[in-house]
Amino acid sequence: SGGIIVDCLKAADLLKQKGVNAQVISMHTIKPLDETSIKDCATKNKKIITVEEQNKIGGLGSAVSEVIAQNNIDCDLKIIALEDTFSSVVGSQEFLRKFYKIDSETIFSEALKLIEL
């Protein structure tokens, strides 16, 4: 499996096969937040997908959306993360990413939807 970054890289490879160049940035911390990279990416690409293996409330997607909004950047944002619900599902990380739709196939399909906006 290899983790969420591997799923992001796999999705980028799938996009490349469709003629879409995707930039993958690993944000290993929310605090401190790499605001410069976010602003550069949002300005250059106009579309961002955040992917995280935790609750979508107050996570990376929220932090990225704040940077975009506070800097008045015209950028579409899609947040892929766990919904705010209790989970009793157990399994491997790979199984759970697929179950909760934070796997490479979901990232790929959400990216295609975002491009069509």
Side-chain angles (χ1 to χ4, degrees), residues 31-102:
K31 187 174 182 178
L33 184 65
D34 186 354
E35 292 189 28
T36 301
S37 290
I38 295 167
K39 289 188 272 190
D40 289 348
C41 186
T43 302
K44 178 176 127 186
N45 300 315
K46 302 293 184 197
K47 297 182 187 307
I48 292 179
I49 297 176
T50 62
V51 183
E52 55 193 311
E53 295 177 296
Q54 52 265 343
N55 193 308
K56 68 172 31 176
I57 297 173
L60 177 63
S62 297
V64 169
S65 69
E66 288 176 13
V67 172
I68 291 169
Q70 290 172 352
N71 290 279
N72 297 313
I73 301 171
D74 181 21
C75 178
D76 297 320
L77 173 65
K78 172 66 181 176
I79 299 170
I80 298 176
L82 299 176
E83 295 298 327
D84 190 29
T85 58
F86 176 77
S87 173
S88 60
V89 178
V90 295
S92 69
Q93 284 187 349
E94 185 176 1
F95 171 80
L96 291 171
R97 283 195 301 274
K98 189 172 217 54
F99 181 85
Y100 286 110
K101 299 188 182 326
I102 53 175

Side-chain angles (χ1 to χ4, degrees), residues 32 91 112:
L112 290 178

